[in-house]
Amino acid sequence: MPYHYLEEIGTADIAFEATGRDLLELFMATADATMNVMIDNLDAIEPRETRHIELVNDKLDMLLFDFLQELIYFKDAEQLLLRVREVSIDEKDGEFFLKAKTAGEPLDAARHHQRADVKAVTLHDFSVEKQDEGWKARVLLDI
Amino acid sequence: MAIIDNLQKISDTVWELPPTYKDGMRVPARIIGTEKLVREMDEAVYQQISNVATLPGITRYALCMPDGHSGYGFPIGGVAAMDVHEGGVISPGGIGFDINCGMRLITTNLTLDDVKPRLKEIVDLLFERVPAGVGGHGFLKLSRDDFRDLVEQGARWCVEHDYGWTEDLELTEENGCISGADASKISERAIDRGYNQVGTLGSGNHYLEVQVAHPEHVRDSELAAKFGITIPNQIVVMFHCGSRGFGHQVATDYLQTFLKVMEPKYGIKILDRELACAPFESPQGRDYFAAMKCGLNMSFANRQVILHRIREVFSEVFGRSAEDLEMRMVYDVAHNTAKLEKHKLDSRERTLLVHRKGATRAFGPGHAEVAARYREIGQPVIIGGSMETGSYLLVGTASGAETFFSTAHGSGRIMSRTKARKQWHGKQLQRDLETRGIYVRSTSWAGLAEEAGPAYKDIDEVIAATEFAGISKPVARFTPIGNVKG
């Protein structure tokens, strides 16, 4: 998995680090890491419904913040568990434009093994960094 | 863990980081706790509470309660009082995403002998009627307009719609409806996330517990009687939850608003983006205050509807009305809030915005804000322990002024969820607890493992620290026998 949870950070919350060879992989990994906090068996989420997400932000890290927040929004507003199928990020005139296609289904307690509800993405030590080989993000989710 | 060099011992229960500890600290940071508890605190607590001490308008001290541990922005257990007439700020990171996460306690006239044979039936039915877990929709079908009314009117809306008794309102902080909540200050997304969730528990450390007050655990029988704890081995019900997705979205919305205006408009520099804030007396500060109050009311309403369901369940199981079972509320306390309060500092009364994030207000005897029936004895304080150990009912004290009349809110975690999950297994834990007389139902085995008792501090030590520090006084300890976990 291109993400792992951190034991020593966030006593009552859940922190993770995710990596990707490019931004697209990074965003997909952070989305799965967030969903995996809520649902243990991600593979059980069937792609029955799609939702398109479009976001603009002048800061790359805040674009990721908004993106993860979308997944939390659909989880509450429509009880939808979503995984990212396609994502594109373009930079133009100092702004980042994100387009994503996500797919999933409503939570079914019989098939989806729940872990903990995510209340919010926090900005505590929140970071998106370019590294020698690819990208790394660090996120603390409020539980 | 060793106590860091800069931490000065002021008394057996007060530890101070002086303003010289970090650039920008306006006041000292004080941690309340016994030496054992302070040693157990993670170092991030020092960083976070000293960051809080840099916020504009903070008065006297940035405080951390004995159950404190690291959080985001403020530590959990953080208390900060801002003088709103001297540039004091309001910060969502000082309240938490779960606005008005809090506790409610109900007594019954049942005893352990009455409940023991029916315990599984009760807990199974509670598990069915009070939805818990990820997302989750309640039984209340509200239109978006109904929901707008509900967040402005709080528990009063619920009682007016027959989800509770009139006396429930008198026994809720702010009478279950904080004034000044303005639904025009909340986003459509916040409504989307909340209007289906009234009457749901949530997950993480949220729970609903059937508990027993063993006579040997009633520490002050006179006070206990005034709170309705009168029978040996009396059954009580305690639960912990908040404002659900609605409150989380309100906080997220304003965190982003504040980040945009804080420095360019108000020249406020902060050490952690989770401390994003705005002057209380600014359009953004006022808007958040009015929106946050909607979160407070949503939470009072959520706990009110859950209480209604609990009464239905007991009534159904025992074939008697909730009135006949004397299912009275002791109190409902908020432990994630910011409230405008009058406090006397240096013999001058000042209006302060008191942020409490994982801290409970604990006004002493005679305080005008305490419910009339308890005014002579002080405000009830409800502190939940882990599902394995026990929980407490306490009362506020006159000597609590040093912490702006604030005390602990729970046991306080000592181990991260990720670590706890590797140490325990939910199914095994459930079996172990059952052999110890605690029947647990949960939506999540992994979530259950994360809530194992040893992941928390020693609740008795936390309570003792609040008593030694003079910020609250224990009345009774309750032992869990049944638990619904999110």
Side-chain angles (χ1 to χ4, degrees):
Chain A
M1 280 186 300
Y3 56 87
H4 66 279
Y5 298 102
L6 307 171
E7 286 187 16
E8 303 302 333
I9 295 169
T11 322
D13 305 309
I14 293 178
F16 67 82
E17 261 180 16
T19 53
R21 281 171 299 183
D22 53 30
L23 274 178
L24 310 185
E25 276 191 9
L26 181 78
F27 273 55
M28 285 173 121
T30 54
D32 265 357
T34 302
M35 194 51 67
N36 205 183
V37 167
M38 296 190 268
I39 303 296
D40 256 343
N41 52 344
L42 286 185
D43 291 342
I45 301 173
E46 301 275 343
R48 293 180 190 182
E49 293 185 42
T50 55
R51 291 290 179 276
H52 294 272
I53 297 170
E54 290 194 22
L55 299 165
V56 185
N57 206 303
D58 60 356
K59 293 189 178 69
L60 184 60
D61 62 343
M62 292 310 287
L63 186 75
L64 178 64
F65 178 88
D66 291 345
F67 179 62
L68 298 179
Q69 204 64 52
E70 287 292 313
L71 301 177
I72 296 167
Y73 167 80
F74 282 113
K75 173 267 301 177
D76 280 331
E78 300 187 38
Q79 283 259 292
L80 267 181
L81 306 173
L82 296 172
R83 299 187 75 187
V84 181
R85 311 289 286 187
E86 295 163 20
V87 62
S88 70
I89 298 167
D90 295 312
E91 191 181 357
K92 198 181 165 192
D93 302 331
E95 289 203 298
F96 296 95
F97 296 82
L98 176 143
K99 280 187 184 174
K101 181 182 168 192
T102 64
E105 62 174 333
L107 189 145
D108 174 354
R111 288 188 297 111
H112 302 129
H113 302 157
Q114 297 181 54
R115 185 181 173 196
D117 204 358
V118 174
K119 293 175 178 172
V121 184
T122 79
L123 288 172
H124 176 82
D125 278 345
F126 185 84
S127 65
V128 176
E129 282 172 29
K130 175 116 178 66
Q131 298 190 307
D132 290 343
E133 289 177 24
W135 291 81
K136 186 171 94 173
R138 183 182 266 216
V139 179
L140 178 76
L141 301 169
D142 186 20
I143 300 302
Chain B
M1 191 191 290
I3 288 178
I4 60 169
D5 289 344
N6 310 63
L7 194 67
Q8 297 167 3
K9 185 174 177 178
I10 305 291
S11 73
D12 284 344
T13 51
V14 179
W15 307 75
E16 182 173 295
L17 287 171
T20 50
Y21 175 67
K22 181 181 280 179
D23 280 349
M25 282 175 71
R26 295 165 194 262
V27 292
R30 282 195 164 185
I31 296 169
I32 312 296
T34 55
E35 184 168 339
K36 178 174 182 264
L37 290 170
V38 173
R39 280 184 186 279
E40 282 173 359
M41 281 181 188
D42 43 323
E43 213 165 318
V45 171
Y46 303 127
Q47 292 311 320
Q48 293 182 341
I49 199 64
S50 54
N51 288 346
V52 173
T54 68
L55 290 174
I58 188 164
T59 59
R60 194 162 273 186
Y61 314 112
L63 292 151
C64 183
M65 297 297 110
D67 53 332
H69 59 77
S70 67
Y72 46 86
F74 278 47
I76 306 303
V79 175
M82 313 313 194
D83 191 325
V84 296
H85 301 306
E86 292 183 12
V89 294
I90 183 167
S91 173
I95 296 163
F97 285 97
D98 199 358
I99 297 165
N100 190 3
C101 186
M103 307 289 304
R104 194 173 273 220
L105 176 65
I106 308 128
T107 56
T108 69
N109 58 15
L110 298 164
T111 65
L112 183 58
D113 287 342
D114 300 322
V115 165
K116 219 171 176 177
R118 318 289 294 269
L119 183 65
K120 282 194 174 180
E121 195 184 340
I122 295 167
V123 174
D124 288 344
L125 206 51
L126 286 169
F127 185 68
E128 187 187 308
R129 299 283 170 83
V130 184
V134 174
H137 286 179
F139 79 99
L140 219 55
K141 300 291 170 236
L142 299 178
S143 70
R144 299 170 74 87
D145 282 342
D146 288 339
F147 187 70
R148 284 175 188 278
D149 290 342
L150 178 139
V151 300
E152 288 189 346
Q153 296 166 25
R156 207 173 65 206
W157 187 96
C158 304
V159 171
E160 281 170 7
H161 288 78
D162 291 331
Y163 302 113
W165 306 347
T166 307
E167 71 167 38
D168 299 340
L169 299 178
E170 296 162 32
L171 298 168
T172 305
E173 247 183 67
E174 309 290 341
N175 295 314
C177 171
I178 193 160
S179 61
D182 183 351
S184 73
K185 304 298 182 191
I186 56 179
S187 67
E188 290 301 316
R189 283 169 73 87
I191 294 174
D192 291 344
R193 283 183 69 182
Y195 80 110
N196 278 320
Q197 292 191 333
V198 181
T200 62
L201 206 53
S203 86
N205 62 359
H206 292 169
Y207 66 85
L208 192 176
E209 214 162 68
V210 181
Q211 304 170 339
V212 55
H214 292 298
E216 63 272 28
H217 292 154
V218 174
R219 300 271 290 271
D220 185 323
S221 53
E222 207 173 304
L223 276 175
K226 292 199 166 146
F227 291 136
I229 315 290
T230 54
I231 323 168
N233 299 320
Q234 189 171 348
I235 294 296
V236 301
V237 182
M238 184 183 282
F239 61 99
H240 175 216
C241 61
S243 49
R244 311 288 290 111
F246 173 71
H248 312 159
Q249 188 63 40
V250 169
T252 301
D253 289 341
Y254 280 91
L255 175 70
Q256 287 165 302
T257 302
F258 289 175
L259 278 174
K260 288 185 189 118
V261 296
M262 183 177 54
E263 203 173 334
K265 200 165 173 155
Y266 301 112
I268 301 170
K269 289 193 168 130
I270 47 167
L271 297 170
D272 173 351
R273 282 189 290 182
E274 271 296 330
L275 290 177
C277 57
F280 180 77
E281 294 291 1
S282 69
Q284 295 82 9
R286 283 282 177 186
D287 284 355
Y288 173 55
F289 195 49
M292 190 268 296
K293 285 176 168 181
C294 293
L296 275 167
N297 283 338
M298 158 62 183
S299 199
F300 287 138
N302 192 29
R303 291 197 287 272
Q304 185 62 44
V305 170
I306 291 175
L307 167 59
H308 174 76
R309 296 296 261 181
I310 295 168
R311 283 177 174 149
E312 281 184 349
V313 165
F314 273 78
S315 185
E316 205 170 307
V317 170
F318 289 96
R320 293 162 61 191
S321 71
E323 288 83 355
D324 191 38
L325 292 168
E326 296 178 72
M327 298 188 71
R328 295 211 170 100
M329 261 181 72
V330 176
Y331 205 55
D332 178 305
V333 290
H335 55 224
N336 278 7
T337 63
K339 287 189 179 180
L340 273 184
E341 295 171 4
K342 294 200 186 306
H343 288 267
K344 216 169 185 179
L345 294 185
D346 309 321
S347 63
R348 187 162 66 92
E349 194 177 72
R350 287 157 77 175
T351 304
L352 304 176
L353 182 74
V354 185
H355 293 74
R356 295 187 180 92
K357 184 191 193 181
T360 314
R361 190 189 75 178
F363 284 141
H367 197 288
E369 295 273 326
V370 179
R373 79 172 67 179
Y374 300 139
R375 200 160 296 150
E376 271 183 28
I377 51 175
Q379 182 208 304
V381 170
I382 304 159
I383 297 187
S386 79
M387 64 188 168
E388 296 192 46
T389 51
S391 299
Y392 275 86
L393 173 64
L394 303 91
V395 68
T397 57
S399 53
E402 282 291 292
T403 58
F404 304 99
F405 297 100
S406 311
T407 189
H409 85 305
S411 292
R413 282 190 80 92
I414 205 168
M415 185 188 290
S416 74
R417 292 185 173 278
T418 304
K419 204 170 193 172
R421 194 182 189 205
K422 287 184 182 163
Q423 297 216 1
W424 295 283
H425 189 270
K427 264 187 197 165
Q428 184 60 42
L429 186 61
Q430 188 201 36
R431 283 195 291 268
D432 291 349
L433 288 172
E434 200 164 343
T435 60
R436 286 161 48 194
I438 308 168
Y439 178 61
V440 183
R441 289 292 307 272
S442 175
T443 55
S444 160
W445 294 118
L448 192 66
E450 289 172 13
E451 290 295 317
Y456 283 87
K457 299 180 199 205
D458 175 357
I459 183 81
D460 299 319
E461 181 84 12
V462 169
I463 299 300
T466 74
E467 187 178 17
F468 295 151
I471 55 176
S472 51
K473 179 180 178 313
V475 174
R477 186 188 201 279
F478 306 116
T479 307
I481 56 168
N483 181 304
V484 172
K485 256 218 158 319

